[in-house]
Amino acid sequence: MTKLRLAIIGAGPAGIYAADLVRKAERSFDVSIDLFERLPAPYGLVRYGVAPDHPRIKGIISALREVLDRGDIRFFGNVEYGVDITLDDLKRHYNAVIFATGSTKDASLDIPGIDLPGSYGAADFVSWYDGHPDVPREWPLDAKEVAVIGNGNVALDVARILAKHADDLLPTEIPDNVYEGLKASPVTDVHVFGRRGPAQVRFTPLELRELGEVHDVDMILYDEDFDYDEASKTAIATNKQVLVIDRVLQQWRKRPAGTASRRLHLHFYAKPLEIVGNGKVEAFRWERTEPDGAGGVRGTDEIREIPVQAVYRAVGYFGSPLPGVPFDERRGVIPNREGQVIDDADEPVNGVYATGWIKRGPVGLIGHTKSDAMETLQHVLSDQPNWWTPSEPQEEAIPALLEARGVPYTTIDGWHRLDSHELAIGEAVGRTRIKVVPREDMTRISRAS
Ligand SMILES: Cc1cc2nc3c(=O)[nH]c(=O)nc-3n(C[C@H](O)[C@H](O)[C@H](O)COP(=O)(O)OP(=O)(O)OC[C@H]3O[C@@H](n4cnc5c(N)ncnc54)[C@H](O)[C@@H]3O)c2cc1C
């Protein structure tokens, strides 16, 4: 064996870091890597999840781009595993595959009314405002009062984008349809609900602090949420992150009542019970909880309700099963041991590996996908006796296969064309970039030579 032919499925940070680290790893054989991505453009949730008003984080794309621009990893965009290319194809052409397909769907929240018109998953809304090609162009932003369920960073992203004035998002890369939609929004009050207390939230201090800096939006907190129990006091005293979060919240509590045209309310100790409505969302009902003394909460039987016309649930993401690959239905991940995929009997599935959110679930920042990839690739590289033996390992076989199937795949040069196009249409109107949204347009621009 002189060469490892490796397929990686998914060109989000996990897939790109894995490709980069395999190339750089010390090894006694050559490698040749093909990266397949369902979308015409690379970068996964960095392009289609990270909020548009987080340019610093979006800037991670530059580092990922450097890896792809090096020219030693082939990128095939617009190629969906399970549709355009199958596990049998991979076995015919590669020694091994790493799945890095992430988690793109909303986790479910099983409460009455969750399917009412006006009740949305955060993942869908995020995809809309980040210009994902596979979601509708229009988003019904007609609610004056909105509830956001969840106490993680995605809940804060959704609440911030809903509350922010569209003109304040104009310097970002938001597509025109998103700007127009947000500009017409009549929203006045966005209410964020978390089941536990301020000392148990899952968002990070930086994301929280940012809310207090949004133009013409007042932060509203409620005194009843700040009667800390011993467990909360201990958390604040012993955990730096919790301490900073508490400081930020306490500063906001001291602010004089504001006069902004929009308000962002943070409600704690609120367990979602029901989305109330007759044919559409009309109210959000919750049960007030209280600390249980051990860092958790218990119900109080006190039921409350607030009128809202839309509800967004930001209760986590969930992975999707892939044809021919084991899947843990409960956790929404590919079952694995340190990245080596395992079957129902806990046995390794030869040649099949996983990394990123589809490996360990939808938690953690982009940086975590790097350490993740490092762990996975150790198994890939040391597992040579168990790799597949492909009958057609030649690199030319892949473009030939895709062309024979009529798959309009995109390449890294194609991404450069699309990237330059987005920068140019942005520059023409004094913005840094405007994203192209329709898949056909992305593909056409990428494939124009
Ligand atoms: C709303 C939101 C905001 C976030 N903001 C931040 C932030 O500010 N800072 C931060 O550090 N982290 C942030 N994160 C977390 C960060 O996005 C993740 O840690 C990271 O993207 C996970 O990387 P991944 O490669 O595993 O998954 P992804 O980024 O989801 O990449 C997976 C890729 O696989 C592709 N794919 C899926 N199925 C297939 C298939 N069948 N065939 C081919 N390709 C496929 C997808 O299209 C996608 O491009 C945020 C996450 C979300 C959801």
Side-chain angles (χ1 to χ4, degrees), residues 9-15 36-39 43-46 49-51 54 57 60 79-82 100-104 126 129 154 157 207 317 322 355-358 360 364-367 369:
I9 311 293
F36 294 95
E37 166 58 49
R38 191 163 67 82
L39 297 174
Y43 312 130
L45 282 171
V46 188
V50 171
H54 282 172
I57 309 292
I60 291 175
V79 181
E80 181 167 1
Y81 170 82
T101 48
S103 323
T104 46
V126 167
Y129 70 59
V154 177
D157 277 351
E207 291 263 342
Y317 276 55
L322 296 158
T355 194
W357 274 18
I358 196 64
R360 73 183 144 80
L365 298 173
I366 296 161
T369 62

Side-chain angles (χ1 to χ4, degrees), residues 179-216:
Y179 171 73
E180 300 299 337
L182 291 169
K183 180 89 181 152
S185 167
V187 75
T188 57
D189 291 85
V190 178
H191 299 265
V192 179
F193 292 91
R195 279 179 59 244
R196 305 197 293 166
Q200 289 89 36
V201 291
R202 300 181 66 177
F203 42 70
T204 43
L206 209 63
E207 291 263 342
L208 178 69
R209 193 177 283 131
E210 200 186 343
L211 292 184
E213 290 154 12
V214 180
H215 160 66
D216 194 31

Side-chain angles (χ1 to χ4, degrees), residues 103-268:
S103 323
T104 46
K105 301 225 170 354
D106 283 290
S108 56
L109 177 66
D110 197 11
I111 56 171
I114 196 74
D115 293 324
L116 277 172
S119 163
Y120 309 108
D124 291 337
F125 181 57
V126 167
S127 292
W128 174 74
Y129 70 59
D130 252 342
H132 194 293
D134 295 344
V135 298
R137 296 295 98 80
E138 305 297 320
W139 192 270
L141 284 164
D142 43 17
K144 286 182 78 168
E145 293 141 324
V146 181
V148 177
I149 303 173
N151 255 182
N153 281 342
V154 177
L156 296 194
D157 277 351
V158 166
R160 190 181 69 255
I161 297 288
L162 283 167
K164 215 165 184 168
H165 289 278
D167 284 338
D168 295 327
L169 285 165
L170 206 47
T172 74
E173 61 182 32
I174 51 164
D176 289 339
N177 64 307
V178 174
Y179 171 73
E180 300 299 337
L182 291 169
K183 180 89 181 152
S185 167
V187 75
T188 57
D189 291 85
V190 178
H191 299 265
V192 179
F193 292 91
R195 279 179 59 244
R196 305 197 293 166
Q200 289 89 36
V201 291
R202 300 181 66 177
F203 42 70
T204 43
L206 209 63
E207 291 263 342
L208 178 69
R209 193 177 283 131
E210 200 186 343
L211 292 184
E213 290 154 12
V214 180
H215 160 66
D216 194 31
V217 175
D218 282 335
M219 292 304 300
I220 312 287
L221 298 163
Y222 296 86
D223 286 344
E224 62 177 359
D225 291 335
F226 291 88
D227 188 10
Y228 287 143
D229 68 329
E230 283 311 313
S232 295
K233 286 180 194 161
T234 306
I236 293 165
T238 56
N239 183 319
K240 181 115 189 287
Q241 178 152 318
V242 180
L243 173 75
V244 178
I245 284 172
D246 179 58
R247 270 198 198 137
V248 173
L249 294 172
Q250 300 298 350
Q251 277 165 12
W252 290 344
R253 290 181 70 201
K254 287 187 207 129
R255 281 186 187 172
T259 54
S261 67
R262 293 179 174 179
R263 286 158 294 281
L264 209 159
H265 309 246
L266 296 183
H267 303 264
F268 299 96

Side-chain angles (χ1 to χ4, degrees), residues 362-441:
V363 281
L365 298 173
I366 296 161
H368 295 126
T369 62
K370 203 167 192 173
S371 37
D372 234 15
M374 188 58 99
E375 185 185 67
T376 295
L377 79 87
Q378 303 299 342
H379 288 274
V380 179
L381 297 179
S382 63
D383 208 18
Q384 197 168 348
N386 295 315
W387 291 345
W388 303 324
T389 312
S391 56
E392 294 176 54
Q394 304 79 5
E395 292 179 357
E396 320 79 74
I398 298 304
L401 174 87
L402 296 174
E403 270 151 34
R405 288 185 183 164
V407 180
Y409 66 90
T410 58
T411 60
I412 198 61
D413 287 342
W415 160 245
H416 290 159
R417 277 190 283 277
L418 178 60
D419 186 39
S420 306
H421 176 86
E422 291 187 339
L423 293 171
I425 57 174
E427 196 184 349
V429 291
R431 297 175 55 192
T432 46
R433 171 192 299 273
I434 298 179
K435 265 185 186 168
V436 175
V437 182
R439 186 185 274 263
E440 319 75 73
D441 293 356

